Amino acid sequence: MKFSVKKLALCAVLAALALGLSTLESLFPITLLVPLPGVKLGLANIVTVFALYELGAGAALAILVTRCLLGGLFSGTATALLFSLLGGLCAMGVMILLRRSRKLSVYGVSIGGAAAHNVGQILAAIVTLGSTMVVGYLPFLLAVALVTGSLTGFVVSLLLRATAHLHLTDQSDFR
Amino acid sequence: MKKLLAPLLSAAMLLCLTACGAPKKAETSLFAMDTYMTLVAYGDGADDALTDAARTINELEQLLSRTREDSDVWRINHGGGQVNPTTVQLVEQAIRFSDETDGAFDITIAPLVDLWAINSDAPHIPSQAEIDSLLPLVGSDRITPNGKTVTLDSGCAIDLGGIAKGYTSDRVKEIFARHGIKSGTVSLGGNVYVCGTRPDGKPWNVAVQDPRGGGYACTLTLTDTFAVTSGGYQRYFTAEDGTIYQHIIDPATGYPAQSDLLSVTVVCPDGTRADAYSTALYVMGEEAAIRFWESQGSDPFEMVLITADGRIVCTPGLTDHFIRQEDASYEVQFLSR
Amino acid sequence: MKSNSSPVKTRPTPWDALVVTAVVLLGVLTALLFYTPKSHTDGPLTCVVSVGGEVVDRAPLASFAGEHTYSHNGYTLTIRASGSQVEVLNSDCPGQDCVHSGSISRAGQSLICLPAQVVIHLESGAGGPDVIVG
């Protein structure tokens, strides 16, 4: 895939924004509800979903991986990196698939992504703990995912409408 | 969307199936061979397997009991006559185990067991002279198995108590296999056979009785194997002077074994061997037991020794199958090969 | 990247409900699997502690009372068990999630310290030994 300078700059800004958001959300730990470190609200998902719609799967993936790697670098633990990478990649994969359906809105895509994110995190927890007991947390996480996924969908739909006239990319077919 | 939903739903259904399709469980218990036996089997053939197993256990008791006057062992001890080929084979096996353990396991110990009568209502502390007069009768070379008969030297007697339950567990294993049982447990008073895995696919949790208390000393996670424990902690009598005499007689001295071990658990895929070895290793004591284990070449076995000074000594093959029992407070040591 | 040629829907469609249903279904399923009592006899609880994926302690909760310390991965945590519940008393792990988890007292519950890779799990009576030798 070829990135124009404009797109590259946009990706960088979005990656930085995602990183900022994930730092921000660590101030509101969901771990009080689900005591598993590495489990997060997924505010950074807003950026991922937005990028997926505005810039396409390739760029969104690039932003996601950048965010995870940098986030891992800042937090300094391999475990945190594994959690965000597995969660993020699961979310990404599911969202790319769901995005292909013309019938789903931003809400459906982001809820699916949020749920997949949590499944990925549970997978990461199984890997690090060597115990499948953690799957017991999944129902709670999925309930949270419904809320955060809707929230993300809401924010992204606002963003998409607000930026529609900006022609952030050369694509002009969303309105 | 539908493409995504289909695998999701089918995965969900699969989970339901595995959760609901628990195999049928059958359970039976019986008193036989001077102990309490419990058999559990899972699966379609479970009921038949248990009926078959119980019948075989009773048949074997008929053959191998020392006290029944119509048993093979009685016949052997009282002047001979034809016996069942099964009995002859088992006696031959016992002689082999006796040779392997350098006499620490010996079925010809019977006269001394009778002399002490520790399991009876009237235990008796014999004089050295009494013991000395009977000790020459002990030794596997005093047995002559001969096809359909077993003859003993004059005055000798055999007791298959140290091997009969192990042999029985081997037979139950065969019966389970014939009925297609893939999951089950058999407990023949200190002799355990775990068949396959638990119905949920995990290994069986076999708890080893704590010889010092009512709880467990440790738990072994085992799959399709035998575990047999011998120890002096259950059957013993306390003399008037407070001395404790436990029931396992050392064939070398004619006295109750002065073991520095409280119990020995042997784990191996042969129930008869596990039974004979657990008794022999208990008689040997820690040092000799470890040497004996080290000398096993191509056909090793696993063991858990619980020592009188509060240690659990375990063979390395059990490392991944050993679960500590926090409340039992033993120091756990693993041997190295 | 011209794959996204469909018009973007920024308002919820009925089809979104399908995604929600799938998520709810998955949640309910895992909940059923993990939180339905395996047998009706809840019985005495067994406390199972695994460190780094290996079970190191398995004891009836009733006789597990007291403080127990586990170290792994450079972290140390102390748990306290009373006759009916277990909690993580203190831990030197960064997140303190395990300490914040409070206490557990029912079959199927677990306490998890990810940095130290310690899982404390309560099993119902069925989690005890299957057979006893000796």
Side-chain angles (χ1 to χ4, degrees), chain B residues 25 42 62 100 152 156 180 221 227 260 296:
Chain B
K25 179 187 182 183
Y42 293 86
Q62 196 77 25
E100 281 175 20
L152 303 176
C156 294
T221 53
D260 56 356
Q296 298 289 305

Side-chain angles (χ1 to χ4, degrees), chain B residues 20 39 128 135 144 155 160-161 163 169 195 206 211 237 319 324 337:
Chain B
C20 310
L39 296 87
Q128 188 64 48
L135 262 184
T144 319
L160 293 177
I163 197 173
S169 65
C195 173
V206 180
F237 89 97
T319 312
R324 260 166 232 266
R337 276 208 203 282

Side-chain angles (χ1 to χ4, degrees), chain B residues 133-337:
Chain B
S133 69
L134 292 181
L135 262 184
L137 301 175
V138 177
S140 283
D141 51 342
R142 299 196 158 270
I143 316 170
T144 319
N146 191 2
K148 286 173 182 164
T149 60
V150 176
T151 39
L152 303 176
D153 291 0
S154 154
C156 294
I158 59 167
D159 187 338
L160 293 177
I163 197 173
K165 285 183 285 176
Y167 175 73
T168 307
S169 65
D170 275 329
R171 292 285 295 272
V172 174
K173 177 187 174 168
E174 286 170 21
I175 292 165
F176 274 20
R178 206 158 55 233
H179 286 275
I181 303 297
K182 294 190 170 58
S183 181
T185 60
V186 174
S187 170
L188 313 178
N191 284 240
V192 162
Y193 163 57
V194 288
C195 173
T197 63
R198 287 169 23 151
D200 63 6
K202 291 180 185 159
W204 296 100
N205 293 321
V206 180
V208 178
Q209 185 85 40
D210 184 352
R212 296 196 297 196
Y216 312 132
C218 60
T219 301
L220 304 173
T221 53
L222 302 177
T223 308
D224 207 44
T225 192
F226 295 84
V228 181
T229 299
S230 285
Y233 61 96
Q234 271 170 334
R235 291 185 175 180
Y236 58 85
F237 89 97
T238 313
E240 277 166 18
D241 63 354
T243 316
I244 290 174
Y245 297 93
Q246 52 78 27
H247 76 285
I248 299 176
I249 309 283
D250 184 346
T253 63
Y255 275 89
Q258 299 287 313
S259 187
D260 56 356
L261 298 172
L262 296 179
S263 85
V264 175
T265 302
V266 172
V267 177
C268 79
D270 181 334
T272 316
R273 183 168 170 235
D275 200 2
Y277 278 15
S278 68
T279 309
L281 296 180
Y282 176 79
V283 169
M284 288 178 193
E286 181 184 358
E287 227 188 285
I290 293 172
R291 250 186 287 121
F292 180 73
W293 171 76
E294 285 168 343
S295 71
Q296 298 289 305
S298 58
D299 197 13
F301 62 92
E302 305 299 334
M303 65 182 185
V304 179
L305 309 178
I306 301 181
T307 68
D309 57 3
R311 287 173 297 122
I312 293 179
V313 182
C314 200
T315 50
L318 290 173
T319 312
D320 294 336
H321 304 279
F322 187 93
I323 300 172
R324 260 166 232 266
Q325 194 75 31
E326 188 67 27
D327 52 331
S329 69
Y330 283 98
E331 184 196 331
V332 181
Q333 302 171 338
F334 284 97
L335 298 169
S336 52
R337 276 208 203 282

